[in-house]
Amino acid sequence: MVALKDFFASDFLLGAAFDGPIPDRLNPAEQALFLQQFNTLTAENCLKPGRVQPEEGRFTFQDADTLADFARTHHLHMVGHTLLWHNNCPEWFFKDGEKQASRELVLKRLRAHIHAVVGRYKGTIAGWDVCNEVIADNEKYLRPSHWLETIGDDFVAQAFRFAHEADPNVLLHYNDYDNENPIKRDKTLRLLRSLREAGCRVDAVGLQGHFLLDKVPFGDVEDAIEIYAREGYQVMITELDLDVLPFVGPEAEITQPLSPEQLAPLLLRQAEQYAKLFSLFRKHRDKITRVTFWNPHDGRSWRNNWPTKGRTNHPLLFDRELRPKAAFYAVTGSS
Ligand code: XIL
């Protein structure tokens, strides 16, 4: 079997997200698959603020250290995810006793957090998703969050500034979902221009790429890659997967696994759509520097629990038995 990292070696880095080389997260067979196929890893959860600093000043780096050791040992390009997000962020950041904390206090805590976390992995983490998902999905510009409420519009600029201070050599990414959609893309461009005007360095725009079967917005993805690149950013596909189950409505609630007869045609369509995506990525290899799947194989996919828990989903290139799927062969043009 050809390895993805070799097949795309002259195009872009190829990776997957997981949380640590520990048996309940990635057992030895899964680690072997990972190392055979990928050359970059993203920390799935263990670097999120709620995991590394659950209480002010109490840092819990054990899981992230284990992941960083794995990256160092195997010479992997490690991506830190994420320094600022509206999710997985403890309340203490925004509280001063019973009151809401002042802008100054929240900024002081954000700076301390970023310096501690980025500083610790200097030289190991190659790039950071500095801010994740700050653009609103509705008609608003920025997503309402405690960050926006306590600091104001410049919270994104401040986070990028602190990350640059903490490690001037690390790549700084802005990461979001649906940011190929023209409305969200334009708001992202507005944000990026404001960051540039504020003197902040941003190296890459991350398109998460959580797609749904038969609804991959190929045209928007291609336009977005071209437009972000034209603005001077590297493009990274950061959390790729292709969900084959219904996403909304009562059908999405079904937890019964699909029968082989139900699954077979879906996997063929998935293979075609993955192949089309990768030929698009390849066409734009001068603009795309990394493609990362959100998890190494179907059995470890977050899509088994999102948008509803306890489903048996099939969004990746390897199945639960770690075997390459039709999508793998379609993407690599092998059989
Ligand atoms: C997900 C993880 O995969 C899950 O294990 C966790 O329970 C919730 O977060 N976009 C992101 C990621 O930027 O951080 C999310 O990761 C998936 C969606």
Side-chain angles (χ1 to χ4, degrees), residues 7-23:
F7 188 78
F8 293 105
S10 56
D11 303 322
F12 26 71
L13 294 168
L14 230 293
F18 68 101
D19 233 8
I22 26 186

PDB file of all heavy atoms in Angstrom, residues 7-23:
ATOM      1  N   PHE A   7       2.872   9.732  -1.318  1.00  0.00           N
ATOM      2  CA  PHE A   7       2.148  10.028  -2.555  1.00  0.00           C
ATOM      3  C   PHE A   7       2.051  11.543  -2.779  1.00  0.00           C
ATOM      4  O   PHE A   7       2.168  12.023  -3.897  1.00  0.00           O
ATOM      5  CB  PHE A   7       0.748   9.400  -2.496  1.00  0.00           C
ATOM      6  CG  PHE A   7       0.017   9.496  -3.793  1.00  0.00           C
ATOM      7  CD1 PHE A   7       0.316   8.621  -4.837  1.00  0.00           C
ATOM      8  CD2 PHE A   7      -0.951  10.472  -4.003  1.00  0.00           C
ATOM      9  CE1 PHE A   7      -0.338   8.711  -6.052  1.00  0.00           C
ATOM     10  CE2 PHE A   7      -1.613  10.573  -5.223  1.00  0.00           C
ATOM     11  CZ  PHE A   7      -1.304   9.690  -6.253  1.00  0.00           C
ATOM     12  N   PHE A   8       1.830  12.284  -1.686  1.00  0.00           N
ATOM     13  CA  PHE A   8       1.683  13.749  -1.811  1.00  0.00           C
ATOM     14  C   PHE A   8       2.946  14.501  -1.379  1.00  0.00           C
ATOM     15  O   PHE A   8       2.878  15.699  -1.099  1.00  0.00           O
ATOM     16  CB  PHE A   8       0.469  14.231  -0.996  1.00  0.00           C
ATOM     17  CG  PHE A   8      -0.846  13.741  -1.556  1.00  0.00           C
ATOM     18  CD1 PHE A   8      -1.555  12.719  -0.936  1.00  0.00           C
ATOM     19  CD2 PHE A   8      -1.363  14.298  -2.718  1.00  0.00           C
ATOM     20  CE1 PHE A   8      -2.766  12.253  -1.463  1.00  0.00           C
ATOM     21  CE2 PHE A   8      -2.579  13.841  -3.255  1.00  0.00           C
ATOM     22  CZ  PHE A   8      -3.271  12.820  -2.626  1.00  0.00           C
ATOM     23  N   ALA A   9       4.065  13.806  -1.335  1.00  0.00           N
ATOM     24  CA  ALA A   9       5.284  14.400  -0.774  1.00  0.00           C
ATOM     25  C   ALA A   9       5.697  15.700  -1.459  1.00  0.00           C
ATOM     26  O   ALA A   9       6.180  16.620  -0.806  1.00  0.00           O
ATOM     27  CB  ALA A   9       6.421  13.389  -0.830  1.00  0.00           C
ATOM     28  N   SER A  10       5.494  15.792  -2.766  1.00  0.00           N
ATOM     29  CA  SER A  10       5.937  17.041  -3.405  1.00  0.00           C
ATOM     30  C   SER A  10       4.793  18.060  -3.481  1.00  0.00           C
ATOM     31  O   SER A  10       4.942  19.107  -4.121  1.00  0.00           O
ATOM     32  CB  SER A  10       6.526  16.752  -4.777  1.00  0.00           C
ATOM     33  OG  SER A  10       5.564  16.068  -5.546  1.00  0.00           O
ATOM     34  N   ASP A  11       3.653  17.763  -2.858  1.00  0.00           N
ATOM     35  CA  ASP A  11       2.511  18.684  -2.898  1.00  0.00           C
ATOM     36  C   ASP A  11       2.334  19.439  -1.578  1.00  0.00           C
ATOM     37  O   ASP A  11       2.349  20.657  -1.545  1.00  0.00           O
ATOM     38  CB  ASP A  11       1.226  17.910  -3.212  1.00  0.00           C
ATOM     39  CG  ASP A  11       1.338  17.148  -4.521  1.00  0.00           C
ATOM     40  OD1 ASP A  11       1.942  17.696  -5.462  1.00  0.00           O
ATOM     41  OD2 ASP A  11       0.851  16.008  -4.596  1.00  0.00           O
ATOM     42  N   PHE A  12       2.099  18.688  -0.512  1.00  0.00           N
ATOM     43  CA  PHE A  12       1.848  19.313   0.796  1.00  0.00           C
ATOM     44  C   PHE A  12       2.062  18.268   1.891  1.00  0.00           C
ATOM     45  O   PHE A  12       2.133  17.060   1.622  1.00  0.00           O
ATOM     46  CB  PHE A  12       0.417  19.870   0.901  1.00  0.00           C
ATOM     47  CG  PHE A  12      -0.600  19.173   0.010  1.00  0.00           C
ATOM     48  CD1 PHE A  12      -1.028  17.887   0.287  1.00  0.00           C
ATOM     49  CD2 PHE A  12      -1.111  19.817  -1.115  1.00  0.00           C
ATOM     50  CE1 PHE A  12      -1.951  17.249  -0.526  1.00  0.00           C
ATOM     51  CE2 PHE A  12      -2.043  19.175  -1.952  1.00  0.00           C
ATOM     52  CZ  PHE A  12      -2.459  17.881  -1.649  1.00  0.00           C
ATOM     53  N   LEU A  13       2.122  18.761   3.124  1.00  0.00           N
ATOM     54  CA  LEU A  13       2.193  17.844   4.266  1.00  0.00           C
ATOM     55  C   LEU A  13       0.837  17.144   4.392  1.00  0.00           C
ATOM     56  O   LEU A  13      -0.203  17.705   4.042  1.00  0.00           O
ATOM     57  CB  LEU A  13       2.478  18.625   5.551  1.00  0.00           C
ATOM     58  CG  LEU A  13       3.838  19.314   5.654  1.00  0.00           C
ATOM     59  CD1 LEU A  13       3.839  20.283   6.842  1.00  0.00           C
ATOM     60  CD2 LEU A  13       4.936  18.266   5.817  1.00  0.00           C
ATOM     61  N   LEU A  14       0.853  15.952   4.919  1.00  0.00           N
ATOM     62  CA  LEU A  14      -0.360  15.164   5.058  1.00  0.00           C
ATOM     63  C   LEU A  14      -0.474  14.686   6.498  1.00  0.00           C
ATOM     64  O   LEU A  14       0.483  14.080   7.017  1.00  0.00           O
ATOM     65  CB  LEU A  14      -0.217  13.963   4.129  1.00  0.00           C
ATOM     66  CG  LEU A  14      -1.359  13.637   3.179  1.00  0.00           C
ATOM     67  CD1 LEU A  14      -2.570  13.180   3.947  1.00  0.00           C
ATOM     68  CD2 LEU A  14      -1.739  14.841   2.315  1.00  0.00           C
ATOM     69  N   GLY A  15      -1.600  14.956   7.146  1.00  0.00           N
ATOM     70  CA  GLY A  15      -1.653  14.619   8.564  1.00  0.00           C
ATOM     71  C   GLY A  15      -3.003  14.197   9.079  1.00  0.00           C
ATOM     72  O   GLY A  15      -3.982  14.066   8.333  1.00  0.00           O
ATOM     73  N   ALA A  16      -3.040  13.978  10.382  1.00  0.00           N
ATOM     74  CA  ALA A  16      -4.291  13.643  11.066  1.00  0.00           C
ATOM     75  C   ALA A  16      -4.196  14.157  12.499  1.00  0.00           C
ATOM     76  O   ALA A  16      -3.098  14.336  13.033  1.00  0.00           O
ATOM     77  CB  ALA A  16      -4.533  12.132  11.066  1.00  0.00           C
ATOM     78  N   ALA A  17      -5.375  14.381  13.090  1.00  0.00           N
ATOM     79  CA  ALA A  17      -5.434  14.863  14.477  1.00  0.00           C
ATOM     80  C   ALA A  17      -5.721  13.697  15.407  1.00  0.00           C
ATOM     81  O   ALA A  17      -6.530  12.826  15.091  1.00  0.00           O
ATOM     82  CB  ALA A  17      -6.553  15.896  14.619  1.00  0.00           C
ATOM     83  N   PHE A  18      -5.043  13.687  16.530  1.00  0.00           N
ATOM     84  CA  PHE A  18      -5.391  12.762  17.620  1.00  0.00           C
ATOM     85  C   PHE A  18      -4.819  13.347  18.896  1.00  0.00           C
ATOM     86  O   PHE A  18      -4.187  14.400  18.878  1.00  0.00           O
ATOM     87  CB  PHE A  18      -4.902  11.335  17.340  1.00  0.00           C
ATOM     88  CG  PHE A  18      -3.403  11.153  17.338  1.00  0.00           C
ATOM     89  CD1 PHE A  18      -2.758  10.609  18.446  1.00  0.00           C
ATOM     90  CD2 PHE A  18      -2.639  11.510  16.237  1.00  0.00           C
ATOM     91  CE1 PHE A  18      -1.385  10.420  18.452  1.00  0.00           C
ATOM     92  CE2 PHE A  18      -1.262  11.325  16.233  1.00  0.00           C
ATOM     93  CZ  PHE A  18      -0.641  10.784  17.333  1.00  0.00           C
ATOM     94  N   ASP A  19      -5.068  12.633  20.004  1.00  0.00           N
ATOM     95  CA  ASP A  19      -4.768  13.282  21.275  1.00  0.00           C
ATOM     96  C   ASP A  19      -3.579  12.738  22.035  1.00  0.00           C
ATOM     97  O   ASP A  19      -3.253  13.243  23.098  1.00  0.00           O
ATOM     98  CB  ASP A  19      -6.020  13.240  22.163  1.00  0.00           C
ATOM     99  CG  ASP A  19      -6.375  14.624  22.665  1.00  0.00           C
ATOM    100  OD1 ASP A  19      -5.752  15.593  22.195  1.00  0.00           O
ATOM    101  OD2 ASP A  19      -7.243  14.722  23.534  1.00  0.00           O
ATOM    102  N   GLY A  20      -2.981  11.685  21.552  1.00  0.00           N
ATOM    103  CA  GLY A  20      -1.808  11.189  22.257  1.00  0.00           C
ATOM    104  C   GLY A  20      -1.564   9.733  21.938  1.00  0.00           C
ATOM    105  O   GLY A  20      -2.504   9.000  21.653  1.00  0.00           O
ATOM    106  N   PRO A  21      -0.288   9.327  21.953  1.00  0.00           N
ATOM    107  CA  PRO A  21       0.044   7.944  21.638  1.00  0.00           C
ATOM    108  C   PRO A  21      -0.171   7.053  22.852  1.00  0.00           C
ATOM    109  O   PRO A  21       0.697   6.297  23.251  1.00  0.00           O
ATOM    110  CB  PRO A  21       1.523   8.047  21.263  1.00  0.00           C
ATOM    111  CG  PRO A  21       2.019   9.181  22.085  1.00  0.00           C
ATOM    112  CD  PRO A  21       0.875  10.136  22.257  1.00  0.00           C
ATOM    113  N   ILE A  22      -1.342   7.165  23.463  1.00  0.00           N
ATOM    114  CA  ILE A  22      -1.622   6.351  24.646  1.00  0.00           C
ATOM    115  C   ILE A  22      -2.756   5.411  24.259  1.00  0.00           C
ATOM    116  O   ILE A  22      -3.633   5.797  23.481  1.00  0.00           O
ATOM    117  CB  ILE A  22      -1.987   7.229  25.866  1.00  0.00           C
ATOM    118  CG1 ILE A  22      -2.576   8.566  25.401  1.00  0.00           C
ATOM    119  CG2 ILE A  22      -0.816   7.437  26.767  1.00  0.00           C
ATOM    120  CD1 ILE A  22      -2.838   9.567  26.493  1.00  0.00           C
ATOM    121  N   PRO A  23      -2.732   4.169  24.766  1.00  0.00           N
ATOM    122  CA  PRO A  23      -3.609   3.135  24.223  1.00  0.00           C
ATOM    123  C   PRO A  23      -5.075   3.525  24.063  1.00  0.00           C
ATOM    124  O   PRO A  23      -5.674   3.203  23.052  1.00  0.00           O
ATOM    125  CB  PRO A  23      -3.440   1.987  25.211  1.00  0.00           C
ATOM    126  CG  PRO A  23      -2.039   2.171  25.708  1.00  0.00           C
ATOM    127  CD  PRO A  23      -1.811   3.656  25.761  1.00  0.00           C
TER     128      PRO A  23
END
